[in-house]
Amino acid sequence: VQAWLAKSGIDIKKLGLFTLVMFPYPWKFIWSPLMDRFSFGSLGRRRGWMAFTQVALFFCVGAMGMLDPIAQFSWVIPLAIAVAFFSASQDIVIDAFSREILDDNEQGLGAAVKVNAYKVAGLVPGALSLILADMISWAWVFWITAAFMLPGLFCTLLVQEPKSYGVPPKNLKEAVVLPFREFVTRS
């Protein structure tokens, strides 16, 4: 996105401020209890949210490329924030999913796999996008980049919902206060 904006001639001050759109990441703890409490769709608590965030990211990333970054900059910002929000939300649900499908002794290896997959998932489409931008229009570049969400969606539809997660929290006290209290008092 920053390369697209810079190549389009966006003012350097706007481009610098654009990094603030990533603000959902440090604040994702605020809505994570809601994602833990509620199911989205018939796929289950984890798979439903994974599918939703992947589809939302597909359309938000693709739609961003349809905009003129100079004439429609006021639309680029909310779409970029939406991409950051859905991406952070996907992190939440993938962390919860992996916590539930892996045994305690597998958590370290699982975390290492997720970190490396995250790096590859950012590097490959990002590098490919920059290469493609020299050959085709930015609109196509964004849709091709968005298509990288489809293998994840396909996997989400194939895997089974974890069975070990138990009963979802009944209220915000169970979702937020009690886990926080348990964490603080843990020895």
Side-chain angles (χ1 to χ4, degrees):
V1 172
Q2 288 182 321
W4 171 57
L5 294 173
K7 203 169 187 179
S8 298
I10 295 290
D11 181 283
I12 191 95
K13 291 177 186 174
K14 283 184 183 176
L15 196 55
L17 288 173
F18 199 77
T19 59
L20 295 175
V21 301
M22 299 306 285
F23 78 90
Y25 276 92
W27 298 100
K28 64 186 181 179
F29 70 91
I30 292 172
W31 67 91
S32 63
L34 298 173
M35 294 179 78
D36 191 37
R37 168 65 180 95
F38 298 104
S39 294
F40 188 85
S42 61
L43 293 175
R45 228 167 67 191
R46 305 300 181 217
R47 291 175 54 232
W49 282 111
M50 282 193 291
F52 173 74
T53 57
Q54 290 160 345
V55 169
L57 282 166
F58 174 80
F59 284 109
C60 287
V61 169
M64 196 179 311
M66 306 295 288
L67 300 174
D68 177 343
I70 294 179
Q72 297 172 305
F73 190 73
S74 61
W75 284 96
V76 172
I77 294 170
L79 266 177
I81 291 171
V83 167
F85 175 79
F86 289 126
S87 182
S89 298
Q90 184 175 248
D91 281 358
I92 292 167
V93 71
I94 287 174
D95 286 346
F97 183 86
S98 67
R99 177 63 187 117
E100 291 170 350
I101 64 167
L102 298 175
D103 292 329
D104 287 345
N105 61 341
E106 299 171 324
Q107 292 299 321
L109 179 60
V113 169
K114 281 190 301 183
V115 166
N116 288 314
Y118 175 80
K119 288 179 181 181
V120 170
L123 180 64
V124 172
L128 180 63
S129 297
L130 293 175
I131 292 167
L132 288 175
D134 286 337
M135 297 182 243
I136 59 177
S137 73
W138 278 104
W140 278 107
V141 169
F142 275 84
W143 281 111
I144 290 168
T145 304
F148 276 86
M149 294 308 302
L150 299 178
L153 178 61
F154 183 70
C155 289
T156 296
L157 297 174
L158 286 179
V159 299
Q160 292 184 353
E161 181 76 6
K163 294 181 175 130
S164 63
Y165 60 74
V167 179
K170 293 178 184 70
N171 51 45
L172 284 180
K173 181 179 180 184
E174 285 184 14
V176 179
V177 176
L178 295 179
F180 183 73
R181 184 182 301 154
E182 188 272 330
F183 175 74
V184 171
T185 60
R186 191 182 298 169
S187 53

